[in-house]
Amino acid sequence: MLFHGISANKKIMSYLARGFAEQGLRVYVPDLPGHGRTQGPFSPARAEQCGEALLRELLARGMIGANRTILAGHSMGGAIAEHIAARIPVAGLIAISPAPMRAAHGLTGEKLLFSDPPELPSHSLVMVGWLEFESMRRNAADLVAARNNATTSYLEIRGATHVSILFSSAAMRSSQGWAAYVLNLPPTAALPSHRPLIGALAGFMGIMLIAGPFLREVPGKDTGTEIAGTGTVIGVSRLFLEFAAGSVLSVLLLRFWIPLKAIGLFQGDYLASVSLLLGAMLVVMHWNCVRSALSSFPRPMLLAGFSGIVLFLLATAWFDLTFYEAWLTGAKWMRFPFLLLVFFPYLVAEETLLGPVQHGKRWRRLALALTLRLITWGAMMGGVVLLHNGEILIGLLALYLALFNLIQRSGMDLVRTETGSAAATALFGAILLAGFCLVIFPLT
């Protein structure tokens, strides 16, 4: 039984699942509450309860036998597997980069999804990536050291990060070896192919390649649509200062109250609230410029919105078919219009202040926009480290946030070039950002 991590789902566990299936094992890979196709509400405690309920039901129905069952999991799923294995005797445990459960090695209590590390059962393998944070590795090593049992083992996979370990041949080979040792299986098993992963990434790159011509063709350059007021640009120093001050003030305000808590996205409500507060501040400070930007013609708005929806559906459909359950459920689609309205003020203010795309300065403009977002992300991380607000997903998802921002901002620059409308560009960006948040953050 294989449990995924937070902000993940069963499809991203396919490589590991196929590796165990190569040994002739039946593999159960559920979507935990609020993830993938499973409805919420999500909380770490409820995810653990549902995982245990599934195991007990399979045992009660005689579909599996405890002495022939291995629990395995990655990150949050690793911690869940550890907790369940401590209560229900099973043949073995494989914890892959398990989420820390003890405030130690630089981790404080509010950063933990679970705070009660169990004693590892016999026949437990704990693996981590060699490139993971030291706090993660040392907390994982402590689990095995506390057990001090010859049947438990700790292993670091060289060259692996917290996510890439899911696709590591070395990690898969070690997991297969442990399963063979625990269940007395033949020691040789074929490794699953990486072709599905390569195909998924190649297909996504193909989507990115056609996105540029698509965005140049669909919005259609309409002469005279560049709105006069949107050309106003304040000095770069002042721009940095305003974004930094607004971001810090937003994070401080959210220390006391998160206004969008009711939206029901685990820590995505925090990101949306920061965006809303910062966007409102920027719109108020530069209302005259923003008002001019909002006087956009309906045609570029409609075409930019159409382009954003098409690209979002195309990307999520491809990922859903190949790599990650990205297609939105009904519960997530219901939140989409609201998030669209939440993100629009920030994006229209950002696009207005950046000014029109100038010939020969596109890369400079892109770098400036990404730097402004990095300032805001830094303020949010300051809230995690200094204010101990516990919004750890903002840091854990940093790589995905960075990649998304690069892709989204590049697309927004193309839309701005073709339409000349800051409002149309902001709508396009808001569609992608709202969809991204609904794909990544679990439902509560």
Side-chain angles (χ1 to χ4, degrees):
M1 184 172 292
L2 186 58
F3 299 111
H4 62 74
I6 196 168
S7 294
N9 49 59
K10 64 177 180 285
K11 184 156 287 187
I12 205 171
M13 308 298 285
S14 294
Y15 181 76
L16 289 173
R18 285 186 287 114
F20 289 122
E22 289 285 353
Q23 296 179 277
L25 299 176
R26 178 182 299 155
V27 188
Y28 293 89
V29 196
D31 278 334
L32 294 172
H35 294 74
R37 298 288 189 270
T38 302
Q39 298 298 315
F42 164 78
S43 70
R46 187 166 189 269
E48 179 187 332
Q49 292 167 3
C50 289
E52 181 173 341
L54 174 60
L55 176 61
R56 290 189 183 278
E57 184 70 13
L58 292 173
L59 289 170
R61 290 171 179 261
M63 298 174 68
I64 61 175
N67 64 342
R68 301 293 295 172
T69 297
I70 292 177
L71 297 186
H74 172 251
S75 193
M76 177 187 72
I80 288 174
E82 291 170 10
H83 276 103
I84 298 175
R87 291 190 292 269
I88 303 176
V90 290
L93 167 72
I94 301 174
I96 304 168
S97 299
M101 291 176 279
R102 193 165 66 91
H105 309 301
L107 288 175
T108 50
E110 77 282 348
K111 298 184 181 71
L112 305 177
L113 295 175
F114 302 94
S115 57
D116 51 343
E119 183 181 34
L120 288 180
S122 299
H123 305 113
S124 294
L125 171 65
V126 178
M127 285 190 296
V128 296
W130 189 65
L131 297 178
E132 296 194 54
F133 290 119
E134 183 182 6
S135 57
M136 296 280 291
R137 290 186 282 112
R138 293 180 66 182
N139 266 284
D142 287 348
L143 289 169
V144 176
R147 184 68 167 99
N148 193 24
N149 186 297
T151 66
T152 60
S153 180
Y154 171 78
L155 183 63
E156 292 190 4
I157 305 299
R158 295 189 67 84
T161 65
H162 188 70
V163 175
S164 70
I165 196 171
L166 291 175
F167 309 98
S168 165
S169 297
M172 186 71 261
R173 178 63 75 194
S174 298
S175 298
Q176 288 176 328
W178 195 259
Y181 157 68
V182 170
L183 300 176
N184 295 315
L185 300 174
T188 57
L191 287 171
S193 172
H194 281 105
R195 285 196 297 269
L197 173 62
I198 296 170
L201 297 179
F204 180 69
M205 291 301 297
I207 293 173
M208 292 298 98
L209 287 174
I210 66 173
F214 174 75
L215 291 177
R216 291 187 182 93
E217 182 69 24
V218 174
K221 187 83 171 177
D222 193 1
T223 57
T225 59
E226 181 72 57
I227 300 158
T230 61
T232 302
V233 181
I234 63 176
V236 173
S237 298
R238 181 182 167 187
L239 197 60
F240 286 164
L241 181 61
E242 288 187 0
F243 271 74
S247 299
V248 170
L249 181 57
S250 299
V251 169
L252 290 174
L253 290 174
L254 293 180
R255 185 71 178 91
F256 304 99
W257 177 54
I258 298 178
L260 298 181
K261 199 75 173 178
I263 200 172
L265 286 181
F266 184 75
Q267 299 193 10
D269 53 6
Y270 183 82
L271 176 63
S273 296
V274 169
S275 179
L276 180 62
L277 291 177
L278 178 57
M281 294 177 197
L282 294 172
V283 167
V284 169
M285 287 190 293
H286 301 280
W287 171 242
N288 288 333
C289 295
V290 173
R291 182 176 58 184
S292 298
L294 293 175
S295 62
S296 177
F297 299 98
R299 182 176 180 276
M301 291 284 288
L302 291 173
L303 292 176
F306 172 76
S307 301
I309 289 292
V310 168
L311 287 180
F312 172 67
L313 293 178
L314 185 60
T316 52
W318 177 254
F319 273 127
D320 196 79
L321 288 169
T322 60
F323 177 68
Y324 181 93
E325 288 184 341
W327 192 257
L328 299 189
T329 61
K332 291 185 176 182
W333 276 118
M334 290 179 63
R335 291 163 166 82
F336 185 84
F338 181 76
L339 279 179
L340 198 64
L341 295 175
V342 166
F343 290 128
F344 184 78
Y346 167 81
L347 291 172
V348 76
E350 175 192 71
E351 193 60 34
T352 301
L353 294 174
L354 288 172
V357 181
Q358 300 179 32
H359 180 70
K361 295 184 178 181
R362 179 180 171 188
W363 292 108
R364 180 180 176 184
R365 187 179 190 271
L366 176 61
L368 176 59
L370 293 177
T371 302
L372 294 175
R373 295 190 180 188
L374 181 61
I375 290 172
T376 301
W377 179 82
M380 288 190 284
M381 287 306 299
V384 174
V385 176
L386 301 177
L387 301 180
H388 305 288
N389 60 22
E391 306 292 336
I392 58 170
L393 279 188
I394 303 302
L396 294 178
L397 298 175
L399 180 61
Y400 305 101
L401 290 169
L403 182 59
F404 168 78
N405 277 290
L406 176 61
I407 294 173
Q408 182 219 30
R409 270 300 339 168
S410 298
M412 289 176 67
D413 285 353
L414 279 174
V415 173
R416 181 66 181 272
T417 300
E418 297 303 316
T419 65
S421 168
T425 305
L427 176 61
F428 172 83
I431 289 171
L432 298 186
L433 181 54
F436 174 79
C437 287
L438 289 170
V439 167
I440 290 294
F441 293 102
L443 295 179
T444 61

